[in-house]
Amino acid sequence: RQITVLFCDIVGSTEMSERIDPEELRDLVREYQTASARVIEQAGGHVAQYLGDGILAYFGYPTAHEDDARHAVHAGLGIVAAVRGMSEAAQRKQGVSVSVRCAIHTGPVVAGDVGAKGSGARLAVGSTPNIAAHLQNVAPPGAVVLSAATQQLVHGWFELSAMGPRKLKGRHEPIEVFQAIREAAARSRSELDAAQHLSPLVGRREELSMLNRALGAARGGQGQMVLLSGEAGVGKSRLVHLARQRATEDGFACLVMRCASYFENSALHPIIEMLQDDVGFEPDDTAATKLHRLERSIEALNMPRDEHVPPLAALLSVPLDRSYPVVDLQPHKQKARAFTSLLALLATVAQRHSLLLVVEDLHWADPSTLEFLGMLAGQPPMPRAMTLMTARSEASIPWAGRTSFTRLALSRLSDVEVRVMIEQIAGDRRLPPEVLREVVKKTDGVPVFVEELTKMVLDAGLEVAESRSLTDRLLALAIPATL
């Protein structure tokens, strides 16, 4: 199976062992391993082995996600950030700084039990873990580096810097290496769509027309709540991208809650991230700067500052200054106050500008976020506001049956629509009938599959293949790594 492997270790641990006591070094290594394992597990990964001060982790085994490479890079950046915070304390206590380097590679492995019978070791065997281990030797301290194989899978989701080709131990040919800097501005599929060249939309005219009508009704004062449901790859994010584009053209304010599989256990993360984006927090902002930005945003909406800043500041983990009275509330009351302020904020934005509130991947929402959305759905429709949500078909939405709620289920494309989509992606390049039939058969009407498999066919040059070799090449047609 294809997995993504993350390998990380402490930089300069040998030199560090000569400067501090063995017990202190042991405690530092344990703290680093504990923090790293926590980040890896939160990102959906599996710690396979501790190798001295090195950690070997798998993303895609024993549990697989459709975006394991993204999970791995997210974890790598999280580990570097966690160790950076740990290093500040070590510098004060032991007079040493601690840094880590991470390397990530994606490829095929044979995974399963290894070692003596009953040992319980579950490892992935093949060149992929070895490449990841050797790749970390070229990583600068405090950096996360990726192979080209991983870079192709996360391109657009992270800001990357090319490090050029590097020769790795045991490999004849050098491999292209990239450094992951930070998460990119596109943090959801619809935002990534906006930043990339898109294939023409096929077979969704009725659904797009319905969304445009809902936007028009919202702008006219009739609040709307719409759920786009369907299986992975069927086109939900593409329609969200087009709806956001239309809303922006019509003068709507757009707010986005992004649910993600690696934040399912982080309470209210989609809401917190939405607020941080709306208020304009920057990574290097001090606590005082964040409070000032929040106050300025609330005042710009003419909302009572003393009423709404404290609960929203608590939600954003921003400490208040002495101008605010100290109020000690139980957690459930503090959450209720935050929800009340959030609803007031959304209503105010809607009255001023009209509002499109997007909630992506609702099937990954944490319980507290679902609780807030249930409150939003339980009240009368918010005038001049449209809430547009996406979810997998199997997701259970407890408030989906209400009269103010519209559920739009997206089906797969027909064979005719798939053929049209293939021809539009291919452009001037024509695929032989045998290839066209095989792509239609393999993709089974799922637009993302159609796009990725067609691109792979074109990259493989099958549109100019000779008929006598065509059958063999079709039999070798694999599922693209992107899927």
Side-chain angles (χ1 to χ4, degrees), residues 73 113 159 259 266 275 316 320 329:
V73 180
D113 295 337
E159 291 182 21
C259 307
S266 298
L275 279 176
L316 295 169
L320 297 172
L329 294 175

Side-chain angles (χ1 to χ4, degrees), residues 176-234:
E176 291 290 334
V177 179
F178 299 82
Q179 181 177 344
I181 309 300
R182 62 180 67 87
E183 287 196 69
R187 281 172 285 175
S188 67
R189 177 61 61 181
S190 66
E191 290 166 344
L192 185 63
D193 286 347
Q196 295 181 338
H197 174 69
L198 297 172
S199 58
L201 187 69
V202 175
R204 295 289 184 240
R205 183 176 300 174
E206 184 178 335
E207 291 88 345
L208 186 58
S209 176
M210 182 268 171
L211 291 178
N212 288 336
R213 289 196 301 272
L215 282 170
R219 188 174 53 182
Q222 300 176 12
Q224 306 287 311
M225 185 167 276
V226 180
L227 173 67
L228 293 175
S229 66
E231 62 190 300
V234 80

Side-chain angles (χ1 to χ4, degrees), residues 45-307:
H46 166 70
V47 176
Q49 278 186 311
Y50 293 101
L51 305 165
D53 57 44
I55 298 176
L56 176 67
Y58 302 149
F59 292 81
Y61 176 77
T63 302
H65 309 87
E66 66 259 31
D67 49 0
D68 280 308
R70 278 180 63 199
H71 286 227
V73 180
H74 181 82
L77 293 172
I79 290 171
V80 168
V83 172
R84 189 182 301 123
M86 183 184 118
S87 178
E88 295 173 1
Q91 186 70 52
R92 291 193 301 269
K93 293 178 182 178
Q94 288 97 6
V96 295
S97 59
V98 185
S99 64
V100 69
R101 52 189 174 191
C102 299
I104 301 172
H105 176 59
T106 304
V109 298
V110 174
D113 295 337
V114 299
K117 187 175 181 180
S119 67
R122 306 173 74 187
L123 294 177
V125 179
S127 64
T128 301
N130 296 332
I131 292 174
H134 293 313
L135 189 61
Q136 62 90 24
N137 291 324
V138 305
V144 180
V145 299
L146 324 175
S147 67
T150 303
Q151 180 266 343
Q152 291 172 1
L153 300 179
V154 302
H155 177 68
W157 294 110
F158 298 90
E159 291 182 21
L160 305 175
S161 173
M163 296 175 60
R166 298 297 173 93
K167 187 78 169 62
L168 301 184
K169 182 180 178 181
R171 287 185 62 86
H172 297 297
E173 299 295 329
I175 68 170
E176 291 290 334
V177 179
F178 299 82
Q179 181 177 344
I181 309 300
R182 62 180 67 87
E183 287 196 69
R187 281 172 285 175
S188 67
R189 177 61 61 181
S190 66
E191 290 166 344
L192 185 63
D193 286 347
Q196 295 181 338
H197 174 69
L198 297 172
S199 58
L201 187 69
V202 175
R204 295 289 184 240
R205 183 176 300 174
E206 184 178 335
E207 291 88 345
L208 186 58
S209 176
M210 182 268 171
L211 291 178
N212 288 336
R213 289 196 301 272
L215 282 170
R219 188 174 53 182
Q222 300 176 12
Q224 306 287 311
M225 185 167 276
V226 180
L227 173 67
L228 293 175
S229 66
E231 62 190 300
V234 80
K236 303 181 294 295
S237 295
R238 180 66 185 279
L239 285 173
V240 168
H241 162 63
L242 293 172
R244 289 182 63 182
Q245 196 174 54
R246 174 65 179 269
T248 301
E249 292 170 357
D250 290 346
F252 279 69
C254 291
L255 296 176
V256 184
M257 296 184 193
R258 310 170 186 89
C259 307
S261 56
Y262 38 82
F263 289 125
E264 283 183 278
N265 298 317
S266 298
L268 298 172
H269 181 271
I271 294 173
I272 293 169
E273 186 185 64
M274 177 193 73
L275 279 176
Q276 290 173 336
D277 289 347
D278 186 50
V279 172
F281 283 2
E282 298 291 343
D284 298 329
D285 281 350
T286 63
T289 301
K290 289 180 178 180
L291 179 60
H292 176 67
R293 291 186 192 277
L294 177 59
E295 290 172 334
R296 193 170 57 188
S297 296
I298 294 300
E299 290 167 353
L301 293 171
N302 287 329
M303 297 173 65
R305 192 181 83 164
D306 292 343
E307 180 181 348

Side-chain angles (χ1 to χ4, degrees), residues 375-424:
M375 283 183 60
L376 181 63
Q379 65 178 16
M382 194 179 293
R384 296 175 58 80
M386 174 173 165
T387 303
L388 177 59
M389 297 175 282
T390 68
R392 299 277 171 86
S393 304
E394 65 273 14
S396 175
I397 313 298
W399 17 267
R402 301 189 177 171
T403 54
S404 61
F405 196 95
T406 301
R407 186 165 192 154
L408 189 59
L410 301 184
S411 59
R412 298 186 180 197
L413 302 180
S414 67
D415 286 358
V416 172
E417 290 168 335
V418 170
R419 288 175 180 270
V420 170
M421 187 174 176
I422 293 169
E423 290 170 356
Q424 291 184 343

